[in-house]
């Protein structure tokens, strides 16, 4: 099938590459000429395991192309996927200017039937606004061309997006036209073979499903972090509590890991946008507000622990930092806990020596060159001259360090583990003081 993807960011590239992988002819269109030039030269502007190889393979096979020609994109595909960004506006609502800009282009250029697919995460009612914008542009042209607008939200996890798209848990299609639903079913047939994962529903329900899914997951994380703070205050161990409640099949183990807050491009933005949607229709979403408030507070927990340990005097201290991305297997630092921690440390006069397997370039892009930030090439080198180690991202390679070597390289033998990934027995046995989430401080063995 002929498919056009507007937007060559995270969602657009993964969607385009995976659709091309199963034989479709995909054109990815973006207004960023530099990004398109890089893609046409074989580069990939984001880090996602397996994505670079898939893009290059399908581009070489002629199934995946990149262009800045918006009109060519409208002419190319029966399916017109809108996969542009929806950044938060000042009031927390989703900014739809890029989505509506694509709708404007489609309305101005289309001359035959098109299925417009909202792939971006958008508020309830966006499909109506997209449809009205297309009709408006057609009226200005004095033409009437049939089209349908479909909600088809993405459910991709950064770091596992290829697997999620190729073997989805569910494929949600929101449409009021049965014919359009069947055309989407045909497009997704290669990803829907072992059993039917495609769910057709009305457009507004599909739009809300995406926000609801992310809000529930964010709620589980914030609730577990709230419990972790209670556990620490009353002398309990949140990790033992986690195992105790996770064994209940009604609760399960997913998304109940305590930590130093969630980040990324989805959970923070979507929780705020859903809360704003509720406010717009006269409903006060108290739980959603609490989820975000708890998360904001949780992002400051490592700084408070570090500041308390040094009696509030951090000026001139050097903190080693392991992990900069908001989660493993991505270079995405949007609303990452590492950013809040570093900025608090800098405000207190401390310096940071940091390492991340893939997010170093992104860190340089965000912060530039500064005297209080040193990026090093391996995790152990961050420890040289450092007064403490803070772990912020749960990369696998951080889980079993050489604790004897670690202790020898730190000025003070102390670790602040924001993801509870280390074995506290091994840490304290090596003569290192250990601070984690939801547990009291653990001193070295005598």
């Amino acid at each position: 099938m002929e498919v056009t993807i507007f937007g060559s960011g995270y969602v657009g590239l993964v969607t385009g590459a995976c659709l091309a992988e199963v034989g479709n002819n995909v054109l990815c269109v973006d207004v960023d000429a530099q990004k398109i030039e890089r893609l046409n030269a074989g580069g990939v502007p984001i880090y996602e395991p397996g994505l670079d190889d898939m893009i290059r393979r399908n581009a070489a096979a002629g199934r995946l192309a990149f262009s800045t020609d918006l009109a060519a994109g409208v002419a190319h595909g029966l399916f017109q996927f809108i996969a542009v960004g929806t950044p938060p506006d000042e009031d927390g609502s989703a900014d739809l200017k890029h989505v509506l800009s694509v709708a404007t282009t489609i309305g101005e250029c289309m001359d035959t039937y098109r299925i417009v697919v909202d792939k971006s995460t958008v508020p309830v009612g966006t499909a109506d606004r997209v449809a009205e914008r297309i009709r408006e542009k057609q009226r200005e042209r004095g033409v009437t061309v049939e089209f349908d607008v479909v909600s088809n939200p993405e459910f991709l996890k950064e770091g596992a997006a290829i697997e999620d798209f190729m073997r989805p848990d569910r494929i949600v299609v929101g449409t009021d036209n049965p014919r359009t639903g069947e055309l989407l079913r045909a497009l997704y047939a290669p990803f829907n073979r072992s059993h039917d994962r495609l769910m057709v529903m009305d457009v507004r329900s599909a739009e809300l499903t995406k926000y609801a899914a992310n809000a529930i997951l964010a709620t589980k994380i914030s609730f577990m972090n709230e419990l972790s703070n209670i556990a620490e205050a009353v002398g309990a161990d949140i990790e033992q509590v986690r195992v105790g409640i996770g064994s209940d099949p009604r609760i399960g183990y997913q998304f109940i890991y305590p930590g130093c807050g969630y980040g990324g491009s989805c959970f923070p933005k979507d929780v705020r946008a859903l809360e704003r949607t509720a406010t717009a229709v006269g409903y006060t979403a108290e739980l959603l507000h609490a989820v975000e408030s708890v998360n904001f507070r949780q992002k400051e927990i490592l700084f408070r622990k570090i500041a308390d340990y040094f009696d509030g005097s951090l000026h001139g201290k050097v903190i080693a930092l392991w992990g900069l991305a908001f989660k493993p297997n991505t270079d995405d630092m949007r609303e990452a806990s590492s950013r809040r921690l570093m900025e608090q440390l800098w405000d207190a006069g401390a310096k940071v020596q940091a390492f991340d397997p893939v997010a170093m370039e992104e860190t340089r892009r965000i912060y530039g060159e500064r005297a209080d930030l040193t990026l090093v090439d391996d995790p152990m080198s961050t420890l040289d001259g450092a007064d403490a180690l803070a772990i912020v991202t749960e990369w696998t390679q951080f889980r079993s360090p050489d604790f004897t070597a670690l202790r020898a390289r730190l000025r003070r033998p102390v670790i602040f583990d924001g993801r509870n990934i280390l074995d506290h027995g091994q840490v304290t046995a090596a003569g290192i003081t250990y601070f984690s989430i939801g547990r009291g401080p653990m001193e070295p063995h005598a």
Side-chain angles (χ1 to χ4, degrees):
M1 294 186 179
E2 308 293 323
V3 178
T4 296
I5 311 285
F6 286 98
S8 295
Y10 185 83
V11 174
L13 286 177
V14 171
T15 301
C18 289
L19 288 173
E21 181 76 1
V22 297
N24 296 295
N25 185 9
V26 179
L27 176 62
C28 292
V29 182
D30 202 290
V31 296
D32 186 336
Q34 188 175 13
K35 181 186 293 184
I36 293 299
E37 182 179 356
R38 181 176 177 181
L39 285 162
N40 280 324
V44 179
I46 61 172
Y47 176 82
E48 176 63 34
L51 181 60
D52 50 353
D53 289 340
M54 183 177 284
I55 287 175
R56 293 177 189 129
R57 179 168 63 249
N58 284 282
R63 294 188 297 268
L64 182 60
F66 305 96
S67 175
T68 57
D69 190 334
L70 303 180
V74 178
H76 173 79
L78 166 63
F79 298 96
Q80 303 272 304
F81 279 80
I82 302 179
V84 295
T86 54
D89 217 334
E90 290 183 3
D91 63 357
S93 61
D95 186 346
L96 297 178
K97 65 183 177 185
H98 301 305
V99 171
L100 294 176
S101 176
V102 175
T104 297
T105 298
I106 294 172
E108 289 174 341
C109 299
M110 65 182 294
D111 56 12
T112 189
Y113 176 69
R114 290 290 180 256
I115 298 172
V116 180
V117 184
D118 283 339
K119 198 70 174 173
S120 302
T121 300
V122 293
V124 175
T126 298
D128 293 339
R129 295 182 63 182
V130 168
E132 179 53 37
R133 178 64 62 88
I134 294 173
R135 283 192 290 266
E136 175 189 327
K137 294 304 171 182
Q138 288 192 6
R139 285 193 296 268
E140 292 176 3
R141 294 169 58 202
V143 301
T144 301
V145 182
E146 185 186 4
F147 67 94
D148 285 297
V149 180
V150 176
S151 174
N152 175 220
E154 54 86 12
F155 297 96
L156 306 176
K157 298 187 296 292
E158 292 193 46
I162 300 295
E163 177 72 14
D164 287 345
F165 198 103
M166 300 299 287
R167 296 176 179 81
D169 296 319
R170 75 283 208 197
I171 303 166
V172 173
V173 173
T175 180
D176 300 317
N177 186 337
R179 179 189 65 175
T180 307
E182 290 307 307
L183 288 169
L184 265 294
R185 187 179 295 277
L187 178 66
Y188 279 112
F191 312 99
N192 196 34
R193 295 181 66 84
S194 62
H195 64 275
D196 191 4
R197 301 178 177 89
L198 192 138
M199 308 169 187
V200 179
M201 59 184 71
D202 67 88
V203 175
R204 288 187 169 230
S205 295
E207 290 172 331
L208 182 56
T209 296
K210 168 63 176 181
Y211 276 123
N214 279 351
I216 287 173
L217 297 176
T219 300
K220 290 185 72 173
I221 295 170
S222 278
F223 183 74
M224 198 63 188
N225 284 334
E226 192 86 298
L227 283 179
S228 73
N229 295 329
I230 296 171
E232 188 166 340
V234 301
D237 183 338
I238 193 60
E239 289 299 327
Q240 295 184 37
V241 174
R242 178 182 64 80
V243 173
I245 63 177
S247 60
D248 185 331
R250 297 171 300 173
I251 299 172
Y253 290 105
Q254 290 188 313
F255 288 86
I256 62 167
Y257 288 86
C260 52
Y262 61 75
S265 62
C266 295
F267 287 3
K269 173 176 70 71
D270 293 353
V271 170
R272 289 193 289 266
L274 184 55
E275 183 185 2
R276 179 62 181 168
T277 296
T279 301
V281 295
Y283 182 78
T284 301
E286 296 178 7
L287 181 56
L288 294 177
H289 181 75
V291 167
E292 185 63 11
S293 296
V294 168
N295 188 58
F296 181 83
R297 183 180 64 194
Q298 199 70 12
K299 287 184 178 180
E300 299 185 340
I301 195 166
L302 277 186
F303 176 78
R304 291 200 304 270
K305 288 175 180 284
I306 294 169
D308 288 347
Y309 179 80
F310 289 103
D311 296 322
S313 179
L314 287 171
H315 186 79
K317 296 292 190 294
V318 178
I319 307 300
L321 191 67
W322 286 5
L324 295 162
F326 87 94
K327 62 180 283 189
N329 298 316
T330 181
D331 62 351
D332 194 341
M333 289 182 64
R334 284 173 286 185
E335 304 214 31
S337 299
S338 63
R339 296 179 65 171
R340 182 64 181 145
L341 175 59
M342 287 193 293
E343 289 160 11
Q344 287 184 295
L345 289 170
W346 293 332
D347 288 345
K351 297 182 178 180
V352 174
Q353 295 178 170
F355 169 82
D356 187 283
V358 300
M360 308 276 265
E361 275 305 311
E362 181 66 1
T363 306
R364 291 188 183 96
R365 185 191 69 80
I366 294 169
Y367 292 111
E369 297 296 327
R370 47 186 300 159
D372 50 10
L373 173 63
T374 302
L375 300 176
V376 300
D377 293 332
D378 69 273
M380 296 302 284
S381 295
T382 65
L383 308 174
D384 294 333
D387 296 284
L389 166 64
I391 302 175
V392 187
T393 312
E394 61 273 33
W395 285 95
T396 301
Q397 70 185 86
F398 299 158
R399 293 177 182 270
S400 298
D402 182 336
F403 291 111
T404 302
L406 189 153
R407 183 182 187 281
R409 296 175 80 157
L410 280 171
R411 283 181 183 167
R412 300 195 188 194
V414 58
I415 295 176
F416 298 88
D417 184 354
R419 300 297 177 186
N420 290 4
I421 62 172
L422 300 182
D423 182 320
H424 61 81
Q426 293 184 24
V427 177
T428 54
I432 301 169
T433 301
Y434 182 63
F435 291 84
S436 57
I437 306 298
R439 300 178 289 202
M442 301 179 187
E443 298 295 339
H445 297 330

